[in-house]
């Protein structure tokens, strides 16, 4: 991939040199976190990494244009981010601070995180009266298919904005570098990172669970693209076990890469209880499956294509997440928060009401948001020709759902600190 990196990236060399391994000269991209994984597992993980990315650019269907849902979560969790960064900085007082945004995607949200971290550090140092120099290195990580070119084409505009806001008196020099690769593999030298941030990413799996087909290769979840309340128990079990495997791997890898005293702030879609609620992911994706099945009935796409299309995503319950963290025993829990956010990215109301006159618009907003996220996966399986018709049908299904009840995503926020 031809990455258009900030010219300041050259300053990376020699910025820090952990004792256990030399500095990476170029990003390491690992397609399987487990060297003992079967050939089929490696193949499935590779397929996900090749196909999974948000819609690039800044067009009408792009993620940059349709990511307000994710933006709201970033601003909502800013107080937790501030507390986590402040505690980490006070405990370590590093001269060179390394911050990583895992699953950075593309668009303005990427630099919202960078801006927030810089503002938190500058204000904290001002309050502490710190005179000792500090440099901050930001690594922006996502899968290789991410539109990194768009990210770094936006960097100059971001830097100008920072200079205007600080009147060219920014007290902390910073550098921005892209790191393509899966966060289910090693990305950084050991003990080299001070803080990991990840928002709206950890519900994505490293691969589609293998156990969604029987020994004859027949789908156990026909007509569905995710597990639903009517799916066989082994389908839910397959998703749950794949998530446990992936999240455990993620925790071990980040523990290795974090400096002692370093921390993480993880924000992702989940659910409150073991059984799904009315706004959880199983309902969101069921409506998309219904749209695909409608196209099967109209003979636009073959049924076999739908039966073999499974989303590599899982919204865990808080109980599942906490259990895995406890079992691994690698991190202290600094904080937990759960909040809800409307399916409609532009609905900021905090009650269960929805403006009746705007139901159609809300359904379109939801469809646009989801399209920006899953379009590359849809194209990989079904081709581009169905996109407009598919998401028109999907918006109609969402509208019917919203007429019955308002639907909210459940967002889990987990703050962790590396154990000593």
């Amino acid at each position: 991939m031809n990455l258009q990196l900030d010219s300041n990236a050259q300053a990376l060399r020699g910025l820090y040199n952990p004792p256990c391994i030399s500095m990476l000269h170029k990003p390491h991209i690992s397609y399987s976190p487990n060297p003992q994984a079967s050939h089929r597992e490696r193949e499935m993980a590779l397929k996900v990494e090749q196909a999974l990315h948000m819609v690039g650019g800044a067009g009408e269907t792009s993620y940059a244009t349709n990511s307000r849902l994710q933006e709201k979560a970033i601003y909502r969790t800013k107080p937790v981010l501030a507390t986590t960064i402040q505690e980490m900085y006070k405990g370590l007082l590093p001269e060179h601070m390394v911050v990583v945004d895992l699953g950075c995607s593309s668009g303005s949200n990427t630099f919202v995180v960078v801006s927030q971290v810089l503002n938190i550090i500058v204000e904290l140092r001002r309050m502490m009266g710190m005179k000792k120099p500090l440099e901050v290195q930001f690594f922006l990580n996502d899968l290789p298919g991410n539109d990194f070119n768009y990210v770094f084409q936006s960097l100059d505009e971001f830097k100008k904005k920072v200079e205007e806001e600080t009147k060219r008196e920014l007290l902390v020099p910073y550098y921005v570098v892209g790191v393509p690769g899966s966060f289910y593999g090693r990305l950084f030298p050991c003990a080299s990172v001070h803080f990991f941030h990840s928002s709206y990413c950890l519900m994505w799996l490293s691969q589609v669970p293998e156990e969604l087909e029987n020994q004859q290769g027949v789908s156990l979840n026909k007509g569905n693209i995710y597990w639903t309340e009517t799916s066989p128990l082994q389908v839910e079990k397959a998703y749950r076990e794949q998530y446990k495997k992936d999240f455990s791997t993620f925790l071990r890898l980040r523990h290795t890469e974090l400096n002692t005293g370093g921390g993480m702030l993880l924000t992702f879609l989940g659910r409150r209880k073991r059984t799904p609620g009315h706004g959880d992911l199983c309902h969101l994706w069921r409506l998309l499956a219904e749209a695909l099945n409608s196209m099967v009935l109209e003979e636009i796409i073959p049924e076999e294509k739908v039966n073999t299309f499974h989303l590599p995503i899982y919204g865990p319950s808080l109980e599942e997440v906490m259990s895995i963290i406890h079992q691994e025993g690698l991190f202290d829990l600094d904080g937990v928060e759960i909040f809800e956010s409307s399916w409609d990215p532009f609905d900021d109301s905090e009650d269960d009401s929805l403006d009746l006159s705007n139901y159609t618009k809300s359904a379109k907003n939801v469809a646009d948001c989801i399209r920006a996220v899953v379009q590359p996966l849809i194209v990989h399986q079904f081709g581009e020709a169905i996109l407009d018709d598919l998401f028109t049908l999907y918006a109609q299904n969402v509208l019917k759902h919203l007429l019955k009840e308002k639907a909210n995503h459940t967002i889990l926020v987990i703050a962790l600190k590396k154990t000593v």
Side-chain angles (χ1 to χ4, degrees), residues 378-393:
I378 295 290
V379 170
H380 188 265
Q381 179 75 355
F382 302 100
E384 295 184 14
I386 71 166
L387 287 173
D388 290 343
D389 290 341
L390 172 64
F391 285 99
T392 297
L393 288 170

Side-chain angles (χ1 to χ4, degrees), residues 85-94 124 128:
I85 289 284
Q86 289 167 359
E87 291 182 357
M88 179 276 296
Y89 182 78
K90 289 179 181 177
L92 298 177
L93 296 177
L124 177 62
M128 296 175 64

Side-chain angles (χ1 to χ4, degrees), residues 243-287:
Y243 177 79
K244 180 179 180 180
K245 176 182 177 182
D246 284 345
F247 191 49
S248 296
T249 297
F250 175 87
L251 292 175
R252 294 168 195 163
L253 294 171
R254 303 296 83 79
H255 182 267
T256 299
E257 295 166 347
L258 270 173
N259 200 307
T260 301
M264 300 195 292
L265 179 60
L266 312 175
T267 304
F268 50 96
L269 294 175
R271 59 188 194 276
R272 290 183 179 272
K273 299 179 292 184
R274 181 182 178 86
T275 55
H278 66 269
D280 288 335
L281 290 179
C282 66
H283 298 290
L284 186 77
W285 300 123
R286 173 178 56 79
L287 298 175

Side-chain angles (χ1 to χ4, degrees), residues 55 70 73 167 185 215-217 270 316 345 378 390:
V55 177
Q70 294 83 350
K167 298 179 181 179
Q215 293 181 344
Q216 289 72 41
I378 295 290
L390 172 64

Side-chain angles (χ1 to χ4, degrees), residues 18 58 65 93 114 168 196 202 228 236 259-260 314 350 354 397:
T65 303
L93 296 177
V114 174
R168 298 182 178 273
F196 282 108
L202 277 169
T228 71
E236 179 191 356
N259 200 307
T260 301
Y314 180 71
E350 296 185 359
L354 199 64
N397 291 343

Side-chain angles (χ1 to χ4, degrees), residues 74-84 86 120 265:
I74 292 172
Y75 282 106
R76 173 70 181 263
T77 56
K78 183 179 178 181
V80 186
L81 175 68
T83 299
T84 309
Q86 289 167 359
I120 291 166
L265 179 60

